[in-house]
Amino acid sequence: MAHQAPLKYIFYIAATPEKVWEGFVSRESNRIIFSGAELQADFKPGGLLAWVGAGPDGKPMTYVRGKVLRFEPPKSFSTPSQWAKMIRRPEPRSNWCPRPKPPK
């Protein structure tokens, strides 16, 4: 397989890094962002995490599960990339790192 450059997405959110961080880790924010799925996580390296919500039949199901690779509030939250596996990309992780927008 030819080498594929890593996918990198950058999102600009009009909020402080602390507010964005709270969005990453709060159950309420995750319910809003992920259509009702609840984030269940043990926020420490090696801790388990899962997004759990109602399945098509209304019964609880786990949409994504994994382990916390890195957790350094409010700077870095890293998990294995489930999305990379689904689209057959080589990225081993998702890194969420809120930072203030650099000055122009």
Side-chain angles (χ1 to χ4, degrees):
M1 175 194 238
H3 173 72
Q4 293 179 314
L7 292 174
K8 183 175 184 177
Y9 297 95
I10 298 174
F11 297 91
Y12 293 98
I13 301 170
T16 65
E18 293 77 17
K19 196 75 169 164
V20 173
W21 180 266
E22 183 62 26
F24 289 159
V25 299
S26 82
R27 287 184 181 203
E28 182 58 32
S29 293
N30 273 270
R31 273 191 224 106
I32 293 166
I33 294 167
F34 296 107
S35 303
E38 181 176 311
L39 172 62
Q40 299 175 351
D42 182 9
F43 291 117
K44 63 182 180 188
L48 299 177
L49 65 90
W51 277 272
V52 179
D57 59 1
K59 294 180 182 176
M61 69 174 282
T62 300
Y63 293 105
V64 176
R65 75 172 41 138
K67 287 188 177 184
V68 175
L69 299 175
R70 184 175 177 182
F71 191 75
E72 297 174 10
K75 296 179 181 179
S76 179
F77 178 25
S78 183
T79 65
S81 178
Q82 300 297 316
W83 317 116
K85 290 178 189 175
M86 289 190 306
I87 61 173
R88 297 193 171 122
R89 296 287 299 202
E91 294 83 356
R93 64 186 66 194
S94 295
N95 295 305
W96 305 348
C97 306
R99 296 186 182 108
K101 184 177 177 182
K104 291 183 178 185

XYZ file of all heavy atoms in Angstrom:
833
model
N 0.839 -1.176 0.000
C 0.000 0.000 0.000
C 0.883 1.237 0.000
O 1.837 1.330 0.749
C -0.905 -0.023 1.232
C -1.733 1.228 1.384
S -2.454 1.301 3.032
C -4.156 1.402 2.623
N 0.569 2.189 -0.847
C 1.331 3.434 -0.903
C 1.131 4.220 0.386
O 0.079 4.139 1.027
C 0.874 4.263 -2.096
N 2.147 4.979 0.760
C 2.069 5.793 1.978
C 0.974 6.842 1.823
O 0.901 7.529 0.812
C 3.408 6.471 2.248
C 3.348 7.443 3.373
N 3.231 7.025 4.677
C 3.350 8.791 3.394
C 3.184 8.098 5.455
N 3.263 9.173 4.695
N 0.113 6.941 2.822
C -0.926 7.958 2.838
C -0.593 8.968 3.916
O -0.269 8.597 5.043
C -2.294 7.346 3.137
C -2.799 6.444 2.042
C -4.147 5.848 2.423
O -4.344 5.382 3.524
N -5.059 5.875 1.472
N -0.677 10.239 3.557
C -0.442 11.282 4.548
C -1.555 11.224 5.586
O -2.695 10.907 5.258
C -0.419 12.646 3.873
N -1.247 11.503 6.849
C -2.287 11.485 7.881
C -3.373 12.513 7.582
O -3.097 13.578 7.038
C -1.549 11.863 9.160
C -0.110 11.794 8.850
C 0.058 11.840 7.369
N -4.597 12.170 7.936
C -5.684 13.132 7.840
C -5.570 14.084 9.018
O -5.306 13.666 10.145
C -7.035 12.431 7.916
C -7.424 11.548 6.748
C -8.736 10.820 7.053
C -7.556 12.356 5.481
N -5.784 15.359 8.770
C -5.720 16.336 9.849
C -6.859 17.322 9.640
O -6.985 17.909 8.579
C -4.385 17.073 9.832
C -4.223 18.040 10.964
C -2.829 18.652 10.969
C -2.632 19.544 12.149
N -1.273 20.084 12.197
N -7.693 17.438 10.641
C -8.810 18.371 10.593
C -8.581 19.432 11.658
O -8.210 19.120 12.785
C -10.126 17.656 10.888
C -10.482 16.610 9.877
C -10.157 15.280 10.084
C -11.136 16.959 8.705
C -10.479 14.308 9.154
C -11.458 15.997 7.759
C -11.128 14.675 7.993
O -11.448 13.718 7.071
N -8.823 20.671 11.308
C -8.721 21.770 12.260
C -10.071 22.473 12.281
O -10.595 22.851 11.235
C -7.601 22.752 11.874
C -6.251 22.040 11.891
C -7.605 23.962 12.810
C -5.098 22.881 11.391
N -10.628 22.609 13.464
C -11.902 23.282 13.636
C -11.669 24.557 14.429
O -10.956 24.544 15.424
C -12.890 22.394 14.404
C -13.226 21.125 13.678
C -12.483 19.981 13.886
C -14.276 21.085 12.786
C -12.787 18.804 13.221
C -14.590 19.917 12.110
C -13.842 18.774 12.324
N -12.286 25.636 13.997
C -12.215 26.897 14.725
C -13.547 27.095 15.435
O -14.601 27.106 14.798
C -11.920 28.063 13.777
C -10.544 27.966 13.188
C -10.339 27.431 11.930
C -9.429 28.387 13.916
C -9.067 27.312 11.390
C -8.148 28.265 13.391
C -7.980 27.728 12.127
O -6.718 27.613 11.605
N -13.489 27.228 16.747
C -14.687 27.370 17.562
C -14.562 28.670 18.339
O -13.545 28.924 18.980
C -14.823 26.166 18.528
C -14.897 24.871 17.711
C -16.035 26.331 19.420
C -14.796 23.608 18.537
N -15.590 29.479 18.273
C -15.573 30.792 18.931
C -15.823 30.621 20.429
O -16.915 30.889 20.934
C -16.615 31.705 18.305
N -14.821 30.138 21.119
C -14.902 29.941 22.572
C -13.481 29.840 23.112
O -12.538 29.606 22.358
C -15.678 28.666 22.892
N -13.359 29.969 24.409
C -12.044 29.828 25.027
C -11.630 28.353 24.984
O -12.487 27.464 24.908
C -12.082 30.270 26.504
O -12.938 29.375 27.222
C -12.556 31.704 26.645
N -10.324 28.058 25.047
C -9.891 26.660 25.093
C -10.544 25.888 26.250
O -10.897 24.723 26.105
C -8.375 26.746 25.266
C -8.011 28.047 24.632
C -9.171 28.967 24.960
N -10.749 26.551 27.387
C -11.363 25.882 28.533
C -12.815 25.478 28.237
O -13.259 24.394 28.608
C -11.314 26.787 29.775
C -9.918 27.028 30.304
C -9.102 28.052 29.487
O -9.692 28.822 28.701
O -7.870 28.062 29.627
N -13.542 26.344 27.542
C -14.932 26.047 27.195
C -14.987 24.913 26.163
O -15.837 24.029 26.243
C -15.596 27.309 26.635
C -17.067 27.232 26.599
C -17.623 27.388 27.992
C -19.113 27.580 27.931
N -19.729 27.364 29.214
N -14.061 24.930 25.209
C -13.996 23.858 24.213
C -13.652 22.539 24.910
O -14.255 21.502 24.634
C -12.976 24.180 23.104
C -12.790 22.996 22.167
C -13.423 25.418 22.316
N -12.709 22.586 25.833
C -12.339 21.378 26.590
C -13.557 20.799 27.299
O -13.792 19.601 27.262
C -11.243 21.700 27.602
C -10.844 20.494 28.377
C -11.331 20.103 29.592
C -9.941 19.477 27.971
N -10.762 18.906 29.975
C -9.897 18.517 28.996
C -9.145 19.295 26.840
C -9.101 17.384 28.917
C -8.346 18.166 26.777
C -8.333 17.222 27.802
N -14.328 21.662 27.947
C -15.526 21.210 28.654
C -16.470 20.504 27.678
O -17.091 19.502 28.025
C -16.234 22.393 29.324
C -17.445 22.013 30.126
C -17.149 21.076 31.298
O -16.020 21.075 31.821
O -18.057 20.328 31.680
N -16.536 20.997 26.452
C -17.350 20.344 25.438
C -16.849 18.950 25.099
O -17.639 18.049 24.801
N -15.554 18.749 25.123
C -14.986 17.425 24.829
C -15.355 16.405 25.896
O -15.557 15.242 25.597
C -13.461 17.470 24.776
C -12.863 18.177 23.603
C -11.563 18.648 23.676
C -13.548 18.353 22.422
C -10.974 19.285 22.608
C -12.972 18.994 21.344
C -11.688 19.460 21.446
N -15.373 16.831 27.140
C -15.458 15.860 28.224
C -16.783 15.832 28.982
O -17.017 14.896 29.744
C -14.291 16.034 29.223
C -12.958 15.825 28.525
C -14.336 17.392 29.904
N -17.647 16.813 28.790
C -18.891 16.801 29.561
C -19.930 15.887 28.918
O -20.034 15.792 27.699
C -19.463 18.216 29.708
O -20.196 18.593 28.566
N -20.680 15.209 29.759
C -21.715 14.293 29.263
C -22.789 15.057 28.496
O -23.257 14.616 27.465
C -22.333 13.521 30.420
C -21.394 12.490 30.953
C -22.036 11.672 32.038
N -21.040 10.702 32.508
C -21.360 9.586 33.098
N -22.609 9.283 33.310
N -20.416 8.759 33.483
N -23.196 16.216 29.023
C -24.256 16.991 28.368
C -23.824 17.436 26.970
O -24.583 17.294 26.010
C -24.639 18.200 29.218
C -25.767 19.013 28.635
C -27.059 18.207 28.423
O -27.340 17.272 29.194
O -27.791 18.529 27.467
N -22.630 17.960 26.839
C -22.147 18.388 25.513
C -22.078 17.211 24.556
O -22.442 17.328 23.388
C -20.766 19.032 25.624
O -20.854 20.244 26.320
N -21.615 16.085 25.027
C -21.518 14.908 24.162
C -22.889 14.427 23.720
O -23.059 13.994 22.589
C -20.737 13.793 24.863
C -19.257 13.939 24.636
O -18.724 13.406 23.681
N -18.586 14.714 25.478
N -23.893 14.521 24.596
C -25.250 14.137 24.195
C -25.738 15.023 23.051
O -26.393 14.557 22.129
C -26.215 14.254 25.377
C -26.252 13.015 26.212
C -27.416 13.076 27.207
N -26.919 12.609 28.475
C -26.641 13.367 29.539
N -26.874 14.641 29.513
N -26.169 12.829 30.628
N -25.420 16.307 23.108
C -25.832 17.245 22.058
C -25.065 16.974 20.774
O -25.641 16.863 19.698
C -25.631 18.695 22.535
C -26.589 19.007 23.685
C -25.837 19.670 21.375
C -26.250 20.275 24.439
N -23.752 16.851 20.867
C -22.898 16.665 19.683
C -23.153 15.327 19.012
O -23.204 15.233 17.789
C -21.408 16.783 20.082
C -21.096 18.202 20.537
C -20.501 16.376 18.920
C -19.755 18.345 21.235
N -23.322 14.266 19.793
C -23.425 12.918 19.238
C -24.853 12.364 19.291
O -25.065 11.189 19.583
C -22.439 11.981 19.938
C -21.009 12.381 19.709
C -20.273 12.965 20.727
C -20.415 12.202 18.476
C -18.954 13.354 20.514
C -19.107 12.589 18.256
C -18.378 13.170 19.270
N -25.818 13.205 18.987
C -27.223 12.800 18.809
C -27.786 11.947 19.950
O -28.414 10.920 19.718
C -27.377 12.051 17.483
O -26.930 12.849 16.427
N -27.511 12.357 21.162
C -28.064 11.655 22.307
C -27.165 10.607 22.928
O -27.463 10.105 24.006
N -26.065 10.263 22.263
C -25.151 9.268 22.841
C -24.435 9.877 24.044
O -24.079 11.046 24.056
C -24.140 8.797 21.809
N -24.246 9.073 25.055
C -23.592 9.527 26.269
C -22.150 9.043 26.311
O -21.863 7.880 26.023
C -24.342 8.976 27.482
C -23.749 9.423 28.790
C -24.561 8.941 29.977
O -25.792 9.126 29.957
O -23.961 8.377 30.903
N -21.247 9.942 26.661
C -19.844 9.571 26.838
C -19.684 8.969 28.222
O -20.013 9.595 29.227
C -18.943 10.791 26.689
C -17.471 10.584 27.033
C -16.830 9.553 26.103
C -16.716 11.899 26.975
N -19.198 7.746 28.261
C -18.872 7.083 29.524
C -17.363 6.874 29.498
O -16.857 6.163 28.633
C -19.604 5.751 29.623
C -21.104 5.901 29.596
C -21.833 4.573 29.570
O -21.238 3.509 29.407
N -23.138 4.630 29.715
N -16.651 7.529 30.425
C -15.194 7.464 30.359
C -14.545 7.535 31.727
O -15.032 8.210 32.627
C -14.665 8.600 29.491
N -13.440 6.830 31.831
C -12.546 6.914 32.976
C -11.370 7.738 32.469
O -10.490 7.215 31.776
C -12.107 5.515 33.397
C -11.217 5.524 34.619
O -11.074 6.597 35.257
O -10.664 4.458 34.934
N -11.394 9.045 32.740
C -10.432 9.968 32.146
C -9.044 9.857 32.769
O -8.641 10.667 33.596
C -10.942 11.406 32.251
C -12.132 11.682 31.389
C -13.337 12.036 31.951
C -12.044 11.589 30.017
C -14.439 12.310 31.153
C -13.136 11.846 29.210
C -14.338 12.207 29.783
N -8.319 8.830 32.346
C -6.917 8.659 32.719
C -6.298 7.745 31.664
O -7.010 6.964 31.017
C -6.771 8.052 34.113
C -7.337 6.653 34.229
C -7.208 6.131 35.641
C -7.792 4.719 35.715
N -7.880 4.216 37.064
N -4.990 7.843 31.419
C -4.377 6.957 30.428
C -4.677 5.492 30.750
O -4.554 5.052 31.888
C -2.886 7.267 30.545
C -2.851 8.693 31.014
C -4.035 8.797 31.967
N -5.170 4.774 29.747
C -5.551 3.377 29.920
C -7.006 3.196 30.324
O -7.522 2.087 30.311
N -7.676 4.302 30.714
C -9.076 4.219 31.115
C -9.977 3.892 29.929
O -9.673 4.231 28.786
N -11.082 3.246 30.212
C -12.027 2.871 29.160
C -12.939 4.038 28.837
O -13.252 4.862 29.694
C -12.856 1.672 29.603
C -12.072 0.394 29.914
C -13.022 -0.689 30.401
C -11.309 -0.081 28.697
N -13.366 4.101 27.573
C -14.352 5.088 27.179
C -15.288 4.472 26.159
O -14.932 3.542 25.435
C -13.715 6.363 26.640
C -12.911 6.308 25.346
C -13.817 6.557 24.147
C -11.856 7.372 25.380
N -16.521 4.988 26.142
C -17.524 4.503 25.194
C -18.570 5.583 24.992
O -18.860 6.360 25.906
C -18.185 3.233 25.726
N -19.100 5.652 23.782
C -20.266 6.484 23.497
C -21.425 5.510 23.369
O -21.437 4.647 22.489
C -20.092 7.293 22.219
C -19.318 8.550 22.443
C -19.823 9.765 22.806
C -17.909 8.737 22.319
N -18.804 10.688 22.919
C -17.620 10.081 22.623
C -16.845 7.887 21.982
C -16.337 10.600 22.594
C -15.572 8.408 21.955
C -15.327 9.752 22.259
N -22.393 5.627 24.268
C -23.510 4.695 24.349
C -24.809 5.461 24.131
O -24.996 6.550 24.668
C -23.527 4.007 25.736
C -24.694 3.052 25.857
C -22.207 3.284 25.988
N -25.683 4.891 23.324
C -26.969 5.521 23.063
C -27.982 4.492 22.625
O -27.703 3.290 22.591
N -29.160 4.971 22.261
C -30.226 4.075 21.821
C -29.959 3.579 20.408
O -29.576 4.348 19.533
C -31.564 4.801 21.873
N -30.145 2.296 20.218
C -30.009 1.698 18.893
C -31.310 1.836 18.113
O -32.283 2.420 18.607
N -31.365 1.290 16.905
C -32.566 1.381 16.074
C -33.815 0.805 16.751
O -34.918 1.265 16.515
C -32.213 0.577 14.825
C -30.731 0.517 14.795
C -30.278 0.597 16.228
N -33.598 -0.169 17.627
C -34.737 -0.790 18.320
C -35.030 -0.117 19.667
O -35.883 -0.566 20.420
C -34.475 -2.277 18.542
C -33.210 -2.541 19.368
O -32.539 -1.563 19.786
O -32.893 -3.719 19.593
N -34.303 0.969 19.962
C -34.503 1.688 21.213
C -33.701 1.157 22.382
O -33.636 1.780 23.430
N -33.076 0.001 22.212
C -32.271 -0.581 23.277
C -30.874 0.052 23.275
O -30.364 0.445 22.228
C -32.153 -2.091 23.093
C -33.473 -2.807 23.256
C -33.312 -4.301 23.064
C -34.661 -5.003 23.191
N -34.549 -6.429 22.918
N -30.226 0.123 24.447
C -28.881 0.713 24.511
C -27.882 -0.065 23.657
O -27.925 -1.299 23.606
C -28.502 0.614 25.991
C -29.780 0.390 26.718
C -30.703 -0.289 25.760
N -27.017 0.691 22.992
C -25.934 0.060 22.241
C -24.704 0.952 22.323
O -24.811 2.149 22.555
C -26.321 -0.185 20.782
C -26.479 1.053 19.937
S -26.775 0.682 18.190
C -25.152 0.272 17.629
N -23.536 0.351 22.158
C -22.284 1.095 22.176
C -21.908 1.409 20.740
O -21.749 0.516 19.918
C -21.174 0.274 22.857
O -21.592 -0.007 24.193
C -19.859 1.036 22.880
N -21.764 2.709 20.444
C -21.397 3.140 19.094
C -19.888 3.084 18.885
O -19.415 2.663 17.845
C -21.893 4.560 18.833
C -23.388 4.660 18.789
C -24.095 5.219 19.842
C -24.101 4.184 17.695
C -25.476 5.311 19.800
C -25.473 4.271 17.653
C -26.158 4.833 18.707
O -27.522 4.916 18.669
N -19.156 3.581 19.856
C -17.692 3.618 19.774
C -17.160 3.266 21.156
O -17.688 3.719 22.158
C -17.178 5.025 19.369
C -15.660 5.080 19.374
C -17.719 5.434 18.007
N -16.105 2.456 21.188
C -15.454 2.159 22.464
C -13.948 2.173 22.245
O -13.467 1.986 21.133
C -15.931 0.847 23.044
C -15.379 -0.393 22.363
C -15.738 -1.653 23.124
N -17.105 -1.537 23.572
C -18.011 -2.490 23.536
N -17.697 -3.675 23.111
N -19.229 -2.301 23.948
N -13.230 2.402 23.295
C -11.776 2.415 23.198
C -11.162 2.703 24.552
O -11.792 2.526 25.593
N -9.925 3.153 24.499
C -9.194 3.492 25.713
C -8.653 4.904 25.585
O -8.372 5.374 24.488
C -8.022 2.532 25.930
C -8.436 1.162 26.362
C -7.231 0.334 26.748
C -7.709 -1.031 27.242
N -6.607 -1.839 27.713
N -8.493 5.532 26.711
C -7.874 6.854 26.750
C -6.367 6.642 26.621
O -5.781 5.865 27.374
C -8.210 7.570 28.078
C -7.468 8.888 28.179
C -9.712 7.770 28.206
N -5.768 7.290 25.640
C -4.314 7.184 25.472
C -3.592 8.277 26.249
O -2.545 8.055 26.838
C -3.948 7.295 23.992
C -4.543 6.223 23.082
C -4.207 6.514 21.626
C -4.041 4.847 23.485
N -4.188 9.473 26.224
C -3.565 10.618 26.888
C -4.681 11.527 27.390
O -5.658 11.760 26.678
C -2.695 11.344 25.877
C -1.908 12.483 26.421
C -1.007 12.996 25.316
N -0.273 14.147 25.756
C 0.557 14.811 25.001
N 0.747 14.428 23.748
N 1.196 15.842 25.456
N -4.527 12.033 28.592
C -5.529 12.930 29.158
C -4.818 13.948 30.020
O -4.354 13.632 31.115
C -6.563 12.145 29.968
C -7.744 12.974 30.359
C -8.699 13.308 29.425
C -7.894 13.423 31.652
C -9.795 14.085 29.773
C -8.979 14.194 32.014
C -9.941 14.516 31.078
N -4.697 15.163 29.499
C -4.010 16.250 30.194
C -4.876 17.508 30.129
O -4.675 18.358 29.267
C -2.646 16.511 29.551
C -1.699 15.343 29.642
C -0.404 15.568 28.874
O -0.139 16.686 28.417
O 0.339 14.588 28.734
N -5.869 17.624 31.042
C -6.757 18.784 31.012
C -5.987 20.088 31.220
O -5.071 20.102 32.027
C -7.703 18.539 32.166
C -7.524 17.113 32.567
C -6.173 16.700 32.106
N -6.355 21.123 30.556
C -7.244 21.225 29.405
C -6.468 21.264 28.088
O -6.823 21.988 27.175
C -7.942 22.560 29.652
C -6.860 23.416 30.246
C -6.011 22.454 31.070
N -5.403 20.478 27.978
C -4.529 20.573 26.806
C -4.668 19.447 25.798
O -4.579 19.676 24.600
C -3.074 20.654 27.252
C -2.755 21.885 28.056
C -1.316 21.893 28.482
C -1.031 23.135 29.311
N 0.319 23.185 29.771
N -4.829 18.210 26.238
C -4.783 17.101 25.293
C -5.636 15.924 25.755
O -5.571 15.526 26.914
C -3.330 16.640 25.118
O -3.254 15.559 24.231
N -6.414 15.401 24.813
C -7.242 14.212 25.040
C -7.052 13.356 23.799
O -7.375 13.766 22.695
C -8.696 14.637 25.228
C -9.686 13.521 25.431
C -9.314 12.289 25.948
C -11.012 13.718 25.118
C -10.246 11.287 26.148
C -11.958 12.720 25.305
C -11.575 11.510 25.823
N -6.480 12.184 23.956
C -6.140 11.341 22.819
C -6.768 9.959 22.995
O -6.701 9.366 24.069
C -4.618 11.225 22.712
O -4.242 10.480 21.596
N -7.388 9.470 21.910
C -8.034 8.163 21.915
C -7.650 7.415 20.640
O -7.277 8.041 19.653
C -9.568 8.301 21.948
O -9.999 8.929 20.739
C -10.036 9.096 23.131
N -7.753 6.086 20.634
C -7.550 5.371 19.372
C -8.594 5.845 18.362
O -9.729 6.128 18.731
C -7.775 3.908 19.725
C -7.621 3.833 21.203
C -8.047 5.172 21.731
N -8.233 5.969 17.121
C -9.155 6.479 16.117
C -10.015 5.376 15.529
O -9.553 4.592 14.705
C -8.388 7.191 15.004
O -9.300 7.631 14.027
N -11.255 5.332 15.952
C -12.204 4.383 15.379
C -12.525 4.766 13.946
O -12.737 3.929 13.093
C -13.492 4.368 16.208
C -13.286 3.971 17.647
C -12.756 2.556 17.780
O -13.222 1.640 17.120
N -11.766 2.372 18.615
N -12.555 6.062 13.670
C -12.906 6.546 12.327
C -11.834 6.121 11.330
O -12.150 5.748 10.205
C -13.080 8.052 12.335
C -13.853 8.524 13.524
C -13.403 9.332 14.524
C -15.192 8.181 13.884
N -14.383 9.515 15.470
C -15.483 8.819 15.101
C -16.178 7.376 13.302
C -16.719 8.701 15.727
C -17.399 7.262 13.941
C -17.656 7.919 15.130
N -10.569 6.178 11.718
C -9.490 5.783 10.808
C -9.636 4.323 10.415
O -9.433 3.956 9.263
C -8.127 6.034 11.457
N -10.009 3.482 11.364
C -10.194 2.065 11.054
C -11.335 1.872 10.051
O -11.242 1.064 9.137
C -10.515 1.284 12.328
C -9.346 1.160 13.263
C -9.777 0.408 14.509
C -8.701 0.454 15.566
N -9.147 -0.161 16.815
N -12.418 2.632 10.244
C -13.584 2.452 9.376
C -13.290 2.854 7.929
O -13.847 2.279 7.011
C -14.772 3.260 9.908
C -15.329 2.663 11.182
S -16.899 3.361 11.724
C -16.588 5.094 11.814
N -12.432 3.856 7.728
C -12.137 4.281 6.355
C -10.774 3.772 5.882
O -10.251 4.209 4.883
C -12.229 5.818 6.205
C -11.229 6.535 7.111
C -13.645 6.297 6.449
C -11.155 8.027 6.884
N -10.232 2.820 6.631
C -8.973 2.155 6.295
C -7.814 3.136 6.094
O -7.098 3.086 5.106
C -9.164 1.266 5.069
C -10.144 0.165 5.357
C -10.110 -0.896 4.292
N -10.917 -2.014 4.748
C -11.957 -2.484 4.094
N -12.302 -1.972 2.952
N -12.633 -3.482 4.574
N -7.660 4.035 7.056
C -6.549 4.973 7.073
C -5.578 4.552 8.171
O -5.965 3.888 9.132
C -7.041 6.398 7.343
C -7.951 6.960 6.286
C -7.218 7.307 5.031
N -6.224 8.323 5.324
C -5.709 9.125 4.435
N -6.081 9.040 3.193
N -4.812 10.008 4.757
N -4.325 4.931 8.043
C -3.327 4.465 9.005
C -3.258 5.218 10.332
O -2.515 4.822 11.199
C -2.015 4.649 8.227
C -2.291 5.786 7.311
C -3.746 5.633 6.920
N -4.041 6.289 10.530
C -3.911 7.057 11.769
C -4.235 6.203 12.989
O -5.281 5.575 13.021
C -4.861 8.270 11.786
C -4.549 9.303 10.766
C -5.136 8.960 9.412
O -5.718 7.893 9.230
O -4.980 9.775 8.523
N -3.365 6.201 13.965
C -3.611 5.364 15.132
C -4.458 6.043 16.203
O -4.894 5.401 17.116
C -2.203 5.117 15.664
C -1.452 6.344 15.283
C -2.033 6.773 13.960
N -4.676 7.371 16.112
C -5.357 8.041 17.212
C -6.055 9.315 16.778
O -5.767 9.862 15.741
C -4.379 8.364 18.322
C -3.313 9.357 17.892
C -2.263 9.563 18.946
N -1.541 8.325 19.113
C -0.743 8.040 20.106
N -0.531 8.917 21.030
N -0.131 6.892 20.193
N -6.962 9.751 17.641
C -7.613 11.045 17.514
C -7.057 11.915 18.629
O -7.041 11.495 19.783
C -9.124 10.922 17.681
O -9.673 10.158 16.643
N -6.593 13.080 18.292
C -6.052 14.000 19.285
C -6.917 15.246 19.329
O -7.110 15.895 18.306
C -4.617 14.396 18.942
C -3.686 13.224 18.999
O -3.603 12.547 20.006
N -3.001 12.957 17.919
N -7.421 15.576 20.495
C -8.228 16.766 20.672
C -7.422 17.710 21.537
O -7.156 17.426 22.705
C -9.541 16.422 21.341
C -10.333 15.362 20.631
C -10.112 14.872 19.367
C -11.445 14.649 21.110
N -11.027 13.921 19.046
C -11.866 13.756 20.102
C -12.157 14.678 22.294
C -12.958 12.913 20.254
C -13.233 13.826 22.438
C -13.629 12.973 21.432
N -7.003 18.822 20.968
C -6.124 19.743 21.665
C -6.621 21.178 21.486
O -6.233 21.844 20.521
C -4.704 19.641 21.144
S -4.021 17.984 21.171
N -7.466 21.688 22.376
C -7.951 23.055 22.202
C -6.836 24.062 22.442
O -6.055 23.936 23.371
C -9.052 23.189 23.262
C -8.755 22.141 24.270
C -8.030 21.042 23.546
N -6.760 25.045 21.556
C -5.746 26.092 21.651
C -6.381 27.412 21.260
O -7.262 27.436 20.410
C -4.592 25.807 20.702
C -3.841 24.555 21.047
C -2.617 24.395 20.159
N -1.971 23.163 20.489
C -1.959 22.077 19.725
N -2.552 22.105 18.563
N -1.352 20.981 20.110
N -5.904 28.506 21.836
C -6.439 29.787 21.387
C -6.038 30.063 19.947
O -4.991 29.590 19.487
C -5.809 30.812 22.326
C -4.740 30.093 23.064
C -4.929 28.614 22.884
N -6.880 30.784 19.241
C -6.586 31.129 17.851
C -5.361 32.038 17.835
O -5.278 33.009 18.582
C -7.785 31.841 17.235
C -7.616 32.144 15.782
C -8.872 32.782 15.222
C -8.675 33.165 13.782
N -9.856 33.831 13.243
N -4.382 31.721 16.973
C -3.190 32.565 16.913
C -3.536 33.956 16.380
O -4.442 34.099 15.554
C -2.250 31.832 15.955
C -3.078 30.814 15.269
C -4.329 30.609 16.057
N -2.824 34.988 16.854
C -3.100 36.339 16.336
C -2.735 36.424 14.860
O -1.857 35.719 14.381
C -2.208 37.230 17.197
C -1.180 36.340 17.785
C -1.762 34.944 17.818
N -3.422 37.327 14.162
C -3.148 37.514 12.732
C -1.910 38.331 12.513
O -1.502 39.137 13.229
C -4.334 38.195 12.057
C -5.535 37.303 11.993
C -6.652 37.986 11.266
C -7.836 37.044 11.185
N -8.913 37.587 10.404
